[in-house]
């Protein structure tokens, strides 16, 4: 398509044909419906037929951006000229169906067990859509989940009043009311209170689009990609304040080799003075290093020249 529908010559208007693919799903955008129907779709069908493939009749359609379309579980549509991407209705329905099926098929399960089954599903679904305009959808799914759990709780105790059911299963935590809670036992046999995770508490983080001309193999873009890696690491460590401050104080680099510490490389927290020799778990005695560098420090008895600051950035 790049070769065939690319504008040739200065005075020829651009056809504005764009192609986006993820696995076996793809979308093609163009400036007009006629161009898509008369030229692009026949061209794609011919290309696929030569390889023994064909377009799915159920999934393939030509539509205007003002009407929107679903792609990878999200709806892409312009409202009064403004592009809004949010979870698609079909995706929301499938998510709630999964939640309700778990609740329905566990009529006699303990509340804590039910929470432990639901939380990973809610967390994974919310994290997938946290880069889109999903806040209202998250609130809607939380309300639907609460209603399903309320019916589940009342069915378990048909002879009890609603106040008794509320007191047993729905607690008040800080400023939050009606929080579905339960008790489980951890691996050590100790009881632990677990609470249902609200999807609406997942923060919305806008995806920062990578610059089209950025080349990871070009040395002049090295600093640009390092900054993107730092941003991702900052989000991954946001809930671990000490690790985040430690990582910031080292400017995201290993104390030994000076290379970036990322989610892919992994990290270890090293005690300058070993705990077996009286070292403490304080910032001034800690540093973040790569796993391989950590092994070198211990095997070769290496040390880092400058100590980590007592307070982070």
């Amino acid at each position: 398509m790049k070769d065939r529908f690319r504008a040739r010559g200065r005075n020829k208007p651009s056809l504005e044909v764009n192609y986006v693919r993820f696995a076996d799903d793809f979308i093609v955008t163009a400036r007009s419906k006629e161009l898509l129907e008369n030229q692009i779709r026949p061209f794609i069908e011919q290309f696929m037929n030569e390889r023994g493939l064909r377009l799915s009749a159920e999934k393939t359609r030509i539509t205007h951006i003002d009407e929107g379309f679903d792609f990878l579980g999200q709806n892409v549509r312009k409202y009064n000229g403004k592009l809004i991407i949010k979870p698609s209705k079909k995706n929301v329905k499938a998510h709630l169906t999964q939640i309700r099926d778990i609740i329905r098929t566990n009529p006699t399960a303990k509340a804590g067990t039910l929470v432990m089954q639901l939380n990973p599903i809610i967390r994974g679904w919310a994290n997938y859509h946290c880069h889109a305009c999903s806040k209202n959808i998250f609130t809607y799914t939380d309300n639907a989940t609460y209603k399903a759990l309320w019916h589940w709780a009342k069915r378990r105790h048909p002879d009890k009043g609603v106040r008794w059911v509320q007191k047993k299963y729905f607690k008040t935590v800080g400023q939050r009311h009606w929080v579905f809670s339960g008790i489980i036992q951890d691996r050590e046999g100790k009881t632990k209170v677990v609470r249902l995770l609200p999807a609406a508490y997942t923060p919305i983080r806008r995806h920062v689009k990578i610059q089209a001309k950025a080349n990871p193999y070009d040395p002049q873009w090295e600093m640009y990609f390092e900054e993107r890696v730092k941003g991702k690491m900052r989000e991954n460590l946001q809930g671990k304040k000490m690790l985040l401050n430690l990582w910031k104080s080292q400017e995201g680099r290993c104390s030994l080799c000076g290379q970036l510490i990322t989610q892919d490389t992994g990290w270890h927290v090293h005690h300058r003075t070993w705990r077996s020799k009286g070292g403490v778990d304080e910032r001034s005695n800690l540093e973040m290093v790569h796993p391989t560098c950590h092994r070198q420090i211990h095997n070769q008895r290496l040390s880092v020249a400058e100590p980590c600051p007592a307070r982070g950035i």
Side-chain angles (χ1 to χ4, degrees):
M1 286 197 299
K2 287 183 179 180
D3 295 335
R4 178 165 180 173
F5 299 106
R6 180 174 53 191
R8 304 181 185 281
R10 291 184 178 180
N11 298 326
K12 291 188 176 182
S14 173
L15 296 178
E16 298 179 0
V17 176
N18 297 288
Y19 171 78
V20 180
R21 180 183 68 88
F22 182 86
D24 61 340
D25 293 323
F26 66 90
I27 57 174
V28 180
T29 63
R31 65 180 182 181
S32 67
K33 181 178 180 180
E34 291 73 18
L35 179 61
L36 287 168
E37 289 181 341
N38 302 329
Q39 298 187 47
I40 296 177
R41 181 166 182 168
F43 179 76
I44 294 176
E45 290 176 342
Q46 179 183 356
F47 176 87
M48 297 181 69
N49 288 334
E50 294 175 356
R51 289 154 180 81
L53 304 172
R54 60 184 178 86
L55 292 175
S56 171
E58 298 178 354
K59 295 183 178 180
T60 305
R61 69 189 188 99
I62 298 177
T63 183
H64 196 276
I65 188 61
D66 290 342
E67 298 178 2
F69 60 91
D70 293 344
F71 185 61
L72 303 179
Q74 296 182 337
N75 180 261
V76 182
R77 181 180 173 183
K78 274 190 176 182
Y79 297 84
N80 297 324
K82 183 178 181 180
L83 180 65
I84 301 293
I85 302 176
K86 59 184 180 181
S88 66
K89 292 181 179 180
K90 184 182 297 185
N91 185 268
V92 173
K93 182 179 180 181
H95 172 65
L96 289 178
T97 299
Q98 185 180 14
I99 294 290
R100 289 163 179 155
D101 286 344
I102 292 176
I103 296 174
R104 188 182 66 255
T105 55
N106 288 273
T108 60
K110 295 182 179 180
T113 303
L114 193 58
V115 169
M116 296 302 293
Q117 292 186 53
L118 294 176
N119 274 354
I121 297 173
I122 296 174
R123 182 184 295 108
W125 183 81
N127 286 337
Y128 179 80
H129 293 288
C130 70
H131 301 293
C133 302
S134 309
K135 205 64 176 180
N136 292 337
I137 301 295
F138 287 172
T139 302
Y140 167 76
T141 57
D142 285 342
N143 290 335
T145 303
Y146 154 74
K147 291 180 181 179
L149 289 171
W150 176 245
H151 291 305
W152 173 88
K154 289 195 300 181
R155 283 196 302 267
R156 282 176 63 92
H157 306 281
D159 299 331
K160 299 292 185 179
V162 293
R163 290 185 180 273
W164 187 94
V165 174
Q166 174 191 352
K167 186 176 180 180
K168 180 174 177 62
Y169 294 106
F170 297 89
K171 312 297 182 180
T172 297
V173 182
Q175 299 297 322
R176 296 173 54 199
H177 304 286
W178 291 80
V179 179
F180 187 75
S181 307
I183 298 176
I184 62 171
Q185 286 188 345
D186 58 16
R187 295 180 179 178
E188 298 177 357
K190 298 179 180 179
T191 58
K192 178 182 178 182
V193 178
V194 291
R195 302 181 179 92
L196 188 71
L197 174 70
Y201 274 55
T202 303
I204 301 298
R205 301 185 181 95
R206 299 301 182 208
H207 173 70
V208 180
K209 184 179 181 298
I210 191 171
Q211 295 186 25
K213 58 183 178 180
N215 186 350
Y217 303 103
D218 191 340
Q220 68 176 349
W221 289 97
E222 184 69 21
M223 293 299 297
Y224 172 77
F225 282 101
E226 286 186 356
E227 289 300 322
R228 289 184 62 89
V229 171
K230 286 183 180 180
K232 292 181 179 179
M233 279 294 295
R234 189 176 297 110
E235 290 184 1
N236 291 329
L237 294 177
Q238 199 67 48
K240 305 174 184 177
K241 189 174 181 180
M242 185 202 71
L243 284 176
L244 178 62
N245 290 335
L246 189 63
W247 181 78
K248 283 183 177 180
S249 68
Q250 299 176 196
E251 298 183 351
R253 296 183 179 276
C254 175
S255 299
L256 183 65
C257 67
Q259 299 299 315
L260 280 176
I261 296 176
T262 69
Q263 191 75 12
D264 294 331
T265 63
W267 64 84
H268 282 174
V269 177
H270 173 66
H271 290 73
R272 292 180 170 276
T273 301
W274 293 9
R275 282 175 291 185
S276 60
K277 298 180 180 180
V280 294
D281 292 330
E282 295 182 357
R283 288 286 314 285
S284 57
N285 191 46
L286 301 177
E287 60 186 2
M288 288 185 75
V289 294
H290 292 128
T292 54
C293 295
H294 197 220
R295 287 192 292 269
Q296 292 181 28
I297 291 173
H298 282 268
N299 294 336
Q300 303 178 21
R301 298 295 190 271
L302 301 177
S303 61
V304 180
E306 296 182 1
C308 177
R311 299 183 64 183
I313 296 176

